Amino acid sequence: MRIIKSPEEMSHWSREQLASGMDIGFVPTMGFFHEGHLSLMRMAAKLAEKVVVSIFINPIQFGTDEDLSEYPRDLNRDSSFAENENVDVLFVPELKSMYPEPIKTKISVSGLTKEFCGASRPGHFDGVCTVVTKLFNIVRPSVAVFGSKDFQQLAAIRRMVADLNIDIEIVAHPTVRENDGLAMSSRNTYLAEEDRQSALSLYKANNSAKDMVSAGYSETAAIIDKLEVLINSYDKVEIEYLAIVNCFDLQRQKNIDDNSLLIMAVKVGRTRLIDNFLLHGKTGDI
Ligand code: AMP
């Protein structure tokens, strides 16, 4: 596995691969790999001949009061994980090489990014869409894999790619969970041991919603009310949002249908957790 640090070298490598008839599968990440990231890499390897994984903690997607400086980092650990997954290139650009000057061009997907995580993290999705576009232009993949855990990011990127005629297939990978159901996240390292039970409230809410739908509940307001009570019964939790939306356009729904997606962000202690669940699907994943 090659570790490439400069965007120019990365582009050069990609140009060579494309010229020799290879196609590239791409997994953009912020590092500190867990099984979720590794599953995305395995999926990319099934979809393309070469796999590029990037690690870049993108400052323009963090708010000033967010966890940019404490975000977990461990390149040695990440490289050995990626190497085990037969990744061809680990692209780890330095901050200066991605933003030699303060950026003046931003990609903004309106509407879809306004509510939910977009409301509590102003500018976050502009930062994500901008860096993903930069990475796409550098790496030139034919396919890119994103986790459906970040449902709003996935929706924004799908829309951006469609709106801007970006010729890259966007593939969603289901949420990978710990044995107890907690969605894996690099930020789970922030969870204190005593917060762990409360962190499970999101998964418990997923299951409870699924049971309610199976039992015939169809009004989303009634379901949300019950889930609110359930989540709030745990210690040190604060619901940021809890909604049932259409999984494609993220519009709130009054009644359950085949596209109903339960979405939530909950603060547990100082850790912000997100999760989502497709209520009619077999697996719960978009
Ligand atoms: P991050 O490093 O957190 O920016 O995530 C990089 C990619 O991994 C994104 O496409 C995420 O949606 C995806 N991802 C993060 N956590 C999980 C998970 N538990 N299961 C599947 N994909 C995930």
Side-chain angles (χ1 to χ4, degrees):
M1 184 184 75
R2 270 177 73 171
I3 297 184
I4 295 183
K5 295 206 165 170
S6 106
E8 291 73 27
E9 198 185 331
M10 184 68 246
S11 288
H12 180 75
W13 184 90
S14 291
R15 257 200 309 275
E16 279 185 350
Q17 299 305 318
L18 298 177
S20 61
M22 297 290 170
D23 59 356
I24 298 171
F26 180 42
V27 181
T29 82
M30 298 203 300
F32 211 71
F33 295 152
H34 50 66
E35 191 54 35
H37 296 115
L38 305 184
S39 310
L40 267 56
M41 295 174 204
R42 279 172 221 139
M43 182 171 248
K46 286 196 187 129
L47 298 169
E49 283 145 317
K50 299 282 172 182
V51 175
V52 175
V53 175
S54 65
I55 299 179
F56 183 61
I57 302 177
N58 174 39
I60 68 166
Q61 73 187 61
F62 284 78
T64 45
D65 56 348
E66 291 186 352
D67 57 343
L68 174 61
S69 60
E70 49 176 346
Y71 197 87
R73 296 157 163 88
D74 191 338
L75 184 55
N76 285 335
R77 174 182 175 277
D78 285 350
S79 349
S80 59
F81 275 130
E83 186 131 41
N84 275 338
E85 297 304 330
N86 296 317
V87 165
D88 295 282
V89 173
L90 191 59
F91 177 44
V92 195
E94 268 152 21
L95 182 59
K96 270 222 151 135
S97 67
M98 289 294 277
Y99 301 112
E101 290 182 38
I103 193 155
K104 293 200 171 168
T105 309
K106 290 237 173 111
I107 306 282
S108 190
V109 178
S110 62
L112 278 177
T113 61
K114 193 164 155 253
E115 267 198 272
F116 313 122
C117 291
S120 56
R121 307 186 69 188
H124 169 69
F125 289 111
D126 291 2
V128 168
C129 290
T130 304
V131 81
V132 167
T133 304
K134 282 167 74 71
L135 291 166
F136 281 176
N137 287 334
I138 296 166
V139 175
R140 301 184 195 205
S142 57
V143 54
V145 186
F146 290 84
S148 56
K149 185 179 84 104
D150 297 284
F151 69 95
Q152 202 171 6
Q153 166 173 285
L154 179 64
I157 285 170
R158 282 190 161 142
R159 185 61 199 238
M160 172 185 89
V161 161
D163 282 353
L164 300 181
N165 300 82
I166 298 177
D167 190 16
I168 297 173
E169 185 191 354
I170 304 300
V171 174
H173 189 288
T175 300
V176 178
R177 298 176 181 280
E178 304 283 359
N179 287 338
D180 58 8
L182 178 65
M184 289 190 181
S185 164
S186 309
R187 288 188 167 99
N188 288 351
T189 51
Y190 301 154
L191 279 173
E193 195 50 47
E194 68 267 22
D195 294 342
R196 183 64 207 211
Q197 259 328 93
S198 298
L200 287 182
S201 61
L202 290 89
Y203 185 61
K204 296 272 157 72
N206 286 338
N207 287 334
S208 172
K210 177 112 183 148
D211 290 346
M212 279 189 259
V213 170
S214 304
Y217 274 75
S218 70
E219 263 186 52
T220 58
I223 299 174
I224 293 293
D225 282 351
K226 287 204 183 295
L227 297 182
E228 231 168 59
V229 173
L230 171 75
I231 295 175
N232 283 326
S233 70
Y234 287 81
D235 282 342
K236 293 203 287 180
V237 295
E238 193 189 324
I239 297 173
E240 189 183 281
Y241 64 78
L242 177 62
I244 294 175
V245 298
N246 175 293
C247 63
F248 296 107
D249 61 15
L250 307 188
Q251 293 294 311
R252 285 175 198 267
Q253 294 184 315
K254 269 205 158 119
N255 291 296
I256 297 291
D257 65 21
D258 285 353
N259 299 325
S260 294
L261 183 72
L262 171 69
I263 58 172
M264 65 197 97
V266 178
K267 260 194 153 168
V268 177
R270 63 185 194 107
T271 311
R272 181 178 179 278
L273 301 173
I274 59 171
D275 206 342
N276 66 81
F277 209 71
L278 196 63
L279 293 173
H280 265 305
K282 279 207 180 85
T283 63
D285 287 295
I286 314 171

